[in-house]
Amino acid sequence: MDDRTPRPYASSDEDFEMVPDANGTSNTKDTLTLTAAAELSHVAPACARATMACNITAAASEGKRRPDVDVVVVMDRSGSMEAERKLELCKETTELLIEQLRPSDRFGLVSFDHRVKTNTALVSASSDVARAVKSLRPGGTTNLSGGLFAGLGLLSAAPAAERIRAVLLLTDGLANAGITEEQPLIAATKSLLDGTSTGLYTFGYGSDHNASLLQSIAGAAGDGKGSYYFIETAEKVVGAFADCLGGLLSVAAQNVVVEVKASAGRIARVRREGATRVDDRTWTVPLGDVFEEEQRDVLVEVELLGSASVEVSFALRYVDAANGRVSHATATASVAVDAAKAQTAVPDNHVTEQRARLDTADALLSARECADRRDIAGARRVLESQKAKIAALKVAAVTGSLVERLAHDLAVVLEGLANEDAYRARGRQWMTSKMMGHQMQRCMEDSDSDEEETMPRLMGSVGRARNVYRNTSKKSSKAAMMRGMSARRPSAPQPTSATPTSFPPPAPAPRQGLFSSLFRKSQAPLEDQDLEE
């Protein structure tokens, strides 16, 4: 967001309070600000439900010292990564990532084919770890679970006080060794993440990876703690890494939680991944990490149950990443039943836009389910219907062209549903990435800039649209890594969106059985591990 973006919801002394720190002081500019609003201030007596929402906005850093980061890269070195120089490009990009880290940051490297190897433990970023990256060579099949568990183990074995921690998982294929089924893999991943502050970011290369699995892995850490990136072409490797790193280097708040309470009626639904019901009038909503300049919106649907009015209070708690202190804020929104005033009540534009965002994410999920059943026509109908609803919206653009972005992304995904071949090649991956991005309100893709962005296309019919979720740090990280790539290979062609060459599908690898002791081994002392069955 930029300085021209107005505050999403109105705020006043009555609905906003910043609780002082333990020392009795309060910053003049809070890291996170909290506001709240009702979609309609008054509703008719016949109305059974009302929607309230809160908005959390993170400030820019303004020169604050960022926390140190721990980054573990888990890299697929299976045989298919040799095609189209995928492994070489990943190695070069990882070296560029290391160059962006400070001496006080730490880096670890795990690589895997059917075996898992800890190439370097979690140590200070240096030329030594860069040499470990250079030494990687392609091998056999894909023990994705073994590599992931070893990467998570590196972080769990090292002290983590006041550090931003993340695992970056890179793969181009299907898990065909170790744990191969999604449900047990996600369950084990969640168990390893439980009680940690680790973020989990997945990168799927080409058309043959399991987009749904990588999305589930990235989501295992919870809202705000991960992303899934679809890397369709070799040219997009640097940008995707840079986007992820730019986020990690701009964490403003951690362990962000909102408690929602209604004064009357019943909270029927909280539209946020991970929201948990405490009782009929109380919910908790974990939001994980929030990057600088990001926004988070929580929509609450309340059943009035005959009440004349309902007030919903939002209580925000978070750890300020810059100083480690716990901060709080509160805000309230209310709706009243009044037949006369309901006739002139004007919907809150921001709440309307956020409802459209969530409806679009739901439509993308529904369409993906249709397409996975080979019902391409049904998937297109779902998205065409949502596209028409977006086009019919009459709201002011208060969050930086979000409505325009939703329409743009639906058009892009529809091109990926031209037929079954297009869906398998890229449509499913586009759909998954955009669905998760709109659910979490986070950028999860490469781009040239906010002002000049050309999205991938099949038919050439989709124009430009600003990515409303990208912050300044992500853009700066992309520029720095592109300069680094240019310096390394001055004669190499620069990334371009014109006529990209997609990765060809890798040759199928033989399926191997489950490795029953994988979870136990992932918690063993870290060393080079041979996890081949």
Side-chain angles (χ1 to χ4, degrees):
M1 305 346 131
D2 55 39
D3 293 338
R4 295 172 295 176
T5 302
R7 196 179 181 105
Y9 306 143
S11 180
S12 66
D13 292 340
E14 287 73 32
D15 68 12
F16 178 77
E17 173 190 4
M18 194 65 198
V19 178
D21 294 323
N23 60 11
T25 63
S26 181
N27 296 328
T28 55
K29 186 170 184 179
D30 304 309
T31 297
L32 300 183
T33 57
L34 175 70
T35 55
E39 185 170 24
L40 290 168
S41 59
H42 296 83
V43 296
C47 186
R49 283 198 183 195
T51 298
M52 267 76 89
C54 76
N55 171 271
I56 300 163
T57 300
S61 66
E62 297 186 343
K64 292 181 182 178
R65 185 185 186 278
R66 71 163 175 84
D68 293 329
V69 301
D70 289 345
V71 178
V72 173
V73 170
V74 177
M75 191 176 300
D76 185 346
R77 55 177 168 80
S78 60
S80 61
M81 288 290 286
E82 188 170 16
E84 294 294 304
R85 297 188 68 249
K86 281 180 283 189
L87 182 58
E88 289 305 311
L89 285 164
C90 289
K91 288 161 58 176
E92 290 181 11
T93 309
T94 301
E95 292 175 52
L96 291 172
L97 180 150
I98 294 170
E99 291 174 3
Q100 301 303 311
L101 300 178
R102 299 184 308 212
S104 55
D105 299 325
R106 297 187 296 193
F107 175 85
L109 177 65
V110 171
S111 64
F112 66 93
D113 54 359
H114 52 287
R115 296 170 297 179
V116 176
K117 182 175 182 180
T118 300
N119 301 83
T120 179
L122 195 63
V123 295
S124 176
S126 66
S127 57
D128 290 337
V129 296
R131 282 195 289 272
V133 176
K134 288 179 182 290
S135 68
L136 296 179
R137 298 291 181 269
T141 55
T142 308
N143 186 349
L144 185 149
S145 61
L148 172 61
F149 295 167
L152 292 171
L154 275 186
L155 290 179
S156 66
E162 299 181 5
R163 301 179 77 92
I164 308 301
R165 326 198 81 203
V167 169
L168 279 57
L169 171 66
L170 300 80
T171 184
D172 75 330
L174 303 175
N176 49 36
I179 298 177
T180 60
E181 300 300 323
E182 180 170 334
Q183 186 173 350
L185 175 54
I186 299 305
T189 301
K190 288 182 176 179
S191 178
L192 289 172
L193 288 167
D194 186 38
T196 74
S197 60
T198 300
L200 188 48
Y201 299 81
T202 59
F203 300 78
Y205 293 80
S207 62
D208 199 50
H209 69 274
N210 186 335
S212 176
L213 176 62
L214 293 189
Q215 178 219 337
S216 296
I217 291 173
D223 197 345
K225 299 291 294 179
S227 301
Y228 158 70
Y229 291 84
F230 169 39
I231 302 178
E232 182 186 5
T233 68
E235 291 86 355
K236 297 296 183 182
V237 175
V238 176
F241 262 61
D243 186 89
C244 179
L245 181 63
L248 295 175
L249 299 184
S250 65
V251 173
Q254 292 189 286
N255 301 322
V256 181
V257 178
V258 175
E259 184 178 68
V260 184
K261 288 189 175 183
S263 63
R266 183 180 77 90
I267 296 177
R269 181 167 65 146
V270 175
R271 298 191 70 179
R272 193 81 203 187
E273 291 292 315
T276 303
R277 179 185 179 276
V278 178
D279 56 44
D280 278 355
R281 297 181 181 176
T282 309
W283 286 60
T284 58
V285 188
L287 297 173
D289 295 345
V290 176
F291 302 157
E292 297 164 9
E293 305 170 52
E294 280 193 328
Q295 294 193 29
R296 293 289 181 270
D297 290 88
V298 179
L299 270 64
V300 179
E301 296 180 358
V302 179
E303 290 183 349
L304 302 180
L305 300 181
S307 303
S309 65
V310 174
E311 181 179 271
V312 174
S313 64
F314 300 90
L316 170 68
R317 183 181 73 254
Y318 63 95
V319 177
D320 192 315
N323 54 40
R325 290 197 291 266
V326 177
S327 296
H328 303 77
T330 60
T332 62
S334 61
V335 62
V337 177
D338 188 306
K341 291 183 178 179
Q343 293 180 3
T344 58
V346 178
D348 183 281
N349 282 331
H350 191 83
V351 179
T352 300
E353 284 193 320
Q354 296 308 313
R355 182 192 293 279
R357 171 181 64 82
L358 292 167
D359 288 347
T360 298
D362 290 348
L364 289 167
L365 175 59
S366 178
R368 192 181 75 177
E369 291 171 347
C370 286
D372 284 346
R373 298 193 300 266
R374 305 186 72 176
D375 182 7
I376 299 298
R380 290 190 62 86
R381 283 194 299 271
V382 170
L383 296 184
E384 290 285 6
S385 175
Q386 181 60 20
K387 186 180 176 184
K389 293 176 183 177
I390 295 295
L393 285 177
K394 304 295 183 183
V395 299
V398 295
T399 54
S401 304
L402 174 59
V403 170
E404 288 84 350
R405 183 69 193 194
L406 296 175
H408 175 274
D409 284 355
L410 286 167
V412 167
V413 172
L414 279 164
E415 289 192 351
L417 284 168
N419 49 54
E420 284 193 30
D421 289 340
Y423 178 68
R424 286 193 298 269
R426 52 185 64 81
R428 193 172 199 271
Q429 295 87 338
W430 286 353
M431 201 176 294
T432 300
S433 177
K434 294 179 187 304
M435 175 184 66
M436 194 175 190
H438 290 309
Q439 284 175 340
M440 288 191 178
Q441 294 177 274
R442 175 163 288 175
C443 177
M444 299 184 184
E445 54 195 325
D446 175 40
S447 173
D448 296 326
S449 73
D450 277 349
E451 291 73 33
E452 243 180 286
E453 180 175 349
T454 303
M455 298 298 296
R457 64 190 72 180
L458 290 176
M459 311 301 181
S461 61
V462 179
R464 298 172 185 269
R466 191 171 82 88
N467 193 314
V468 296
Y469 305 135
R470 179 171 289 106
N471 69 4
T472 301
S473 178
K474 287 173 176 275
K475 291 185 285 184
S476 298
S477 180
K478 168 73 177 289
M481 290 184 72
M482 289 303 300
R483 287 193 299 268
M485 181 63 81
S486 180
R488 284 167 175 269
R489 298 189 293 147
S491 60
Q494 294 301 301
T496 174
S497 58
T499 60
T501 302
S502 296
F503 293 129
R511 182 183 178 92
Q512 297 190 12
L514 297 182
F515 186 57
S516 60
S517 63
L518 184 59
F519 184 79
R520 174 179 54 78
K521 279 205 171 189
S522 72
Q523 297 177 307
L526 290 171
E527 57 185 1
D528 289 358
Q529 302 176 44
D530 186 343
L531 299 184
E532 184 177 7
E533 186 171 51

